[in-house]
Amino acid sequence: VSIYTPDLQNILSLLFFLLPASALTTGIYMIFSTKPEMATQEIQPNETLTNLKAESDTLKTKLEDERAKLHDVELHQVAEKVDGLGQFIMKTRRTLKGHGNKVLCMDWCKDKRRIVSSSQDGKVIVWDAFTTNKEHAVTMPCTWVMACAYAPSGCAVACGGLDNKCSVYPLSLDKNENLAAKKKSVAMHTNYLSACSFTNSDMQILTSSGDGTCALWDVESGQLLQSFHGHAADVLCLDLAPSETGNTFVSGGCDKKANVWDMRSGQCIQSFETHESDINSVRYYPSGDAFASGSDDATCRLYDLRADREVAIYSKESIIFGASSVDFSLSGRLLFGGYNDYTINVWDVLKGTRVSILFGHENRVSTLRLSPDGTAFCSGSWDHTLRVRDRGVITWATFPKGPHSQGER
Amino acid sequence: MCDHRCFVYEIVKMSGSSNLVAMKKIVQQLRFEASINRVKVSQAAADLQQFCMQNALQDPLLTGVSSSTNPFRPQKVCSFL
């Protein structure tokens, strides 16, 4: 039982203030410096800063060793026997024009035809991608709307950016209704909103911010349900694990780290730091056992969660511009990467090779997402447009089990 | 003069204790991360590959879809013959 009760600590701290400085040692200060509210962690005598630093270094080395021990083969070696993908042509089926400035973010509605997109000019537009008609348009009070997301029900959209907030707009069937009037401010960060996503329902939103944190919010009350601290710099992206695999999500940031979080406890479960620059985009592999990342270091990488390490790098010497956005095809065999050199590179995830390079955008590709049924993907660009693409005419294709009866001629 | 030195010591005191707390958190996090179970890359890679193979035929971007079922098929103009 310690005699150093909170009151006594405060009195003694005050006394130390009045004593001549030369009579004091930092050692004594450390014992008395535990403020009452920080006394939840007893500081043991042997847990000095130097000891903890040493333990931290030992643990880091141990982590590297453990990960290295299991690195018995490369993914592309395992995949050597898999058939190659053959000629790969994609066609632009729709071009959505209407934004007045750079498109920064987009998301699909679960109905597989509607798209929400947000732009530097402060506008958020809901499109019918089949007809290319604009169904709704909202003007945000800020420019650089860096994040937008469709609610699972299709009845609302969330967006935010330089206003440091994430707001939810219910979508009305009445096209003349002013959407801005029904706006609901949900998330409040202390820096820009970089990404947002609804969880399984319209009731909760996950956000990431330039303030270095992610947060989970209740939409109805605006209450903060959980916050996620661990990044050392701006968090730029996040992705929720496929619902079958449980309550986790991955985030990527300017600290070059990708962190996997437990949504309920707020704890960082796994952390990966192999990129050489900001991570702009993260996306789970469809099985939930891995995730891909795109970075300013001009590479995309695949991290396996069960092996707890990077298992593939998608890069070429000729690709020198950063990857801004990544997404997988439904089977996980293809990885689409949108880059700052205006192109989209399509990678064979297993073999690590590039299957195709897609041109068309006239400025950086900033955002890219597969449609909910996997038949197409949409890319948004600083050239103010969005493009929806799917497979062109398939002349021939190899499948692991031989030719398939289905297929466009 | 004492005020200045006391202020400096106050900063040392504050940063000392908050550094310690921060360091303790880092060590606890590292202990947790070091303790998780891992599988070999060969096993993990085999599972990733298996998932791809099992779902390849249901992946419209791999197999392609016929015009009649493709929602984004080129818009054809109807004409009466």
Side-chain angles (χ1 to χ4, degrees), chain A residues 73-116:
Chain A
V73 76
E74 299 289 340
L75 173 60
H76 63 83
Q77 289 171 307
V78 168
E80 256 165 19
K81 298 200 187 93
V82 173
D83 287 344
L85 286 174
Q87 197 178 23
F88 204 87
I89 299 173
M90 296 204 73
K91 289 219 158 162
T92 298
R93 298 293 184 199
R94 300 286 188 277
T95 303
L96 305 179
K97 294 184 185 176
H99 275 296
N101 212 320
K102 308 176 174 70
V103 176
L104 301 176
C105 188
M106 58 80 45
D107 192 17
W108 288 87
C109 177
K110 282 215 162 90
D111 71 2
K112 306 166 244 179
R113 69 184 282 171
R114 282 175 182 79
I115 286 175
V116 63

Side-chain angles (χ1 to χ4, degrees), chain A residues 60-78:
Chain A
K60 277 186 191 158
T61 319
K62 184 182 174 198
L63 256 174
E64 274 169 34
D65 289 343
E66 291 295 314
R67 282 172 170 170
K69 263 190 227 170
L70 299 164
H71 189 199
D72 51 350
V73 76
E74 299 289 340
L75 173 60
H76 63 83
Q77 289 171 307
V78 168

Side-chain angles (χ1 to χ4, degrees), chain A residues 160-332:
Chain A
L162 283 188
D163 58 350
N164 299 359
K165 291 192 235 175
C166 184
S167 308
V168 175
Y169 292 84
L171 294 175
S172 156
L173 287 170
D174 177 3
K175 310 257 162 90
N176 293 325
E177 189 172 355
N178 181 11
L179 287 185
K182 292 238 171 92
K183 164 180 165 175
K184 188 197 279 269
S185 281
V186 174
M188 293 280 297
H189 279 280
T190 53
N191 209 326
Y192 64 88
L193 187 84
S194 53
C196 63
S197 175
F198 285 87
T199 59
N200 293 337
S201 74
D202 285 19
M203 297 289 91
Q204 291 181 354
I205 284 188
L206 193 58
T207 59
S208 66
S209 166
D211 65 14
T213 71
C214 299
L216 181 66
W217 309 83
D218 177 84
V219 172
E220 193 56 47
S221 63
Q223 194 191 353
L224 173 67
L225 298 172
Q226 184 62 262
S227 65
F228 306 89
H229 298 261
H231 279 287
D234 305 18
V235 187
L236 297 179
C237 51
L238 60 85
D239 190 39
L240 278 143
S243 40
E244 307 81 50
T245 51
N247 284 342
T248 60
F249 74 95
V250 60
S251 65
C254 291
D255 56 357
K256 314 175 202 171
K257 286 212 271 193
N259 290 339
V260 180
W261 306 87
D262 180 317
M263 273 170 67
R264 271 178 282 225
S265 67
Q267 176 165 34
C268 174
I269 314 173
Q270 284 169 280
S271 186
F272 304 89
E273 194 173 352
T274 61
H275 270 294
E276 294 163 18
S277 187
D278 301 358
I279 297 178
N280 298 313
S281 177
V282 285
R283 194 76 75 214
Y284 269 92
Y285 187 76
S287 71
D289 287 334
F291 69 91
S293 58
S295 162
D296 275 349
D297 67 7
T299 70
C300 298
R301 295 175 198 235
L302 186 70
Y303 297 90
D304 189 286
L305 295 173
R306 297 178 321 136
D308 189 39
R309 60 171 296 126
E310 172 193 294
V311 293
I313 305 182
Y314 307 100
S315 67
K316 272 178 116 64
E317 272 184 28
S318 53
I319 301 174
I320 56 171
F321 284 83
S324 63
S325 190
V326 295
D327 204 356
F328 287 99
S329 69
L330 267 194
S331 66

Side-chain angles (χ1 to χ4, degrees), chain A residues 17 21 26 29 33 35 43 47 49 52-53 55-56 59 63 66 70-73 75 78-79 82 85 88 90 93-94 108 130 267-270 285-287 304 306-309 329-333 336 370 373-376 388 390-391 394 400 408, chain B residues 2 5-6 9-10 12-14 17-21 23-24 26-34 36-49 51-53 55-67 70-75:
Chain A
F17 266 94
T26 35
Y29 248 97
S33 66
K35 296 210 168 75
I43 295 180
E47 281 186 345
L49 210 57
L52 284 174
K53 273 211 174 91
E55 188 179 356
S56 145
L59 283 168
L63 256 174
E66 291 295 314
L70 299 164
H71 189 199
D72 51 350
V73 76
L75 173 60
V78 168
V82 173
L85 286 174
F88 204 87
M90 296 204 73
R93 298 293 184 199
R94 300 286 188 277
W108 288 87
F130 288 1
Q267 176 165 34
C268 174
I269 314 173
Q270 284 169 280
Y285 187 76
S287 71
D304 189 286
R306 297 178 321 136
D308 189 39
R309 60 171 296 126
S329 69
L330 267 194
S331 66
R333 182 69 191 271
F336 297 92
L370 190 76
D373 60 357
T375 54
V388 179
D390 64 12
R391 266 321 267 284
I394 298 178
E408 205 177 24
Chain B
C2 180
R5 276 192 235 181
C6 287
Y9 273 100
E10 169 79 293
V12 170
K13 175 188 89 162
M14 293 284 284
S17 63
S18 63
N19 267 354
L20 206 60
V21 170
M23 205 62 218
K24 207 159 155 49
I26 291 173
V27 168
Q28 276 173 344
Q29 178 65 26
L30 283 169
R31 278 183 199 154
F32 173 83
E33 285 180 27
I36 68 170
N37 289 327
R38 293 177 190 83
V39 308
K40 285 192 184 168
V41 174
S42 50
Q43 176 65 53
D47 291 345
L48 289 176
Q49 183 180 314
F51 185 88
C52 277
M53 299 297 107
N55 292 283
L57 298 179
Q58 281 81 49
D59 186 341
L61 290 176
L62 275 186
T63 62
V65 288
S66 62
S67 280
N70 180 3
F72 290 102
R73 64 187 175 280
Q75 288 164 315

Side-chain angles (χ1 to χ4, degrees), chain A residues 314-364:
Chain A
Y314 307 100
S315 67
K316 272 178 116 64
E317 272 184 28
S318 53
I319 301 174
I320 56 171
F321 284 83
S324 63
S325 190
V326 295
D327 204 356
F328 287 99
S329 69
L330 267 194
S331 66
R333 182 69 191 271
L334 300 170
L335 179 68
F336 297 92
Y339 289 74
N340 293 340
D341 63 1
Y342 313 176
T343 68
I344 295 167
N345 288 304
V346 187
W347 301 92
D348 181 329
V349 169
L350 298 179
K351 291 189 177 286
T353 53
R354 182 171 64 185
V355 176
S356 188
I357 177 168
L358 307 174
F359 300 96
H361 278 298
E362 293 162 15
N363 207 321
R364 291 191 187 193

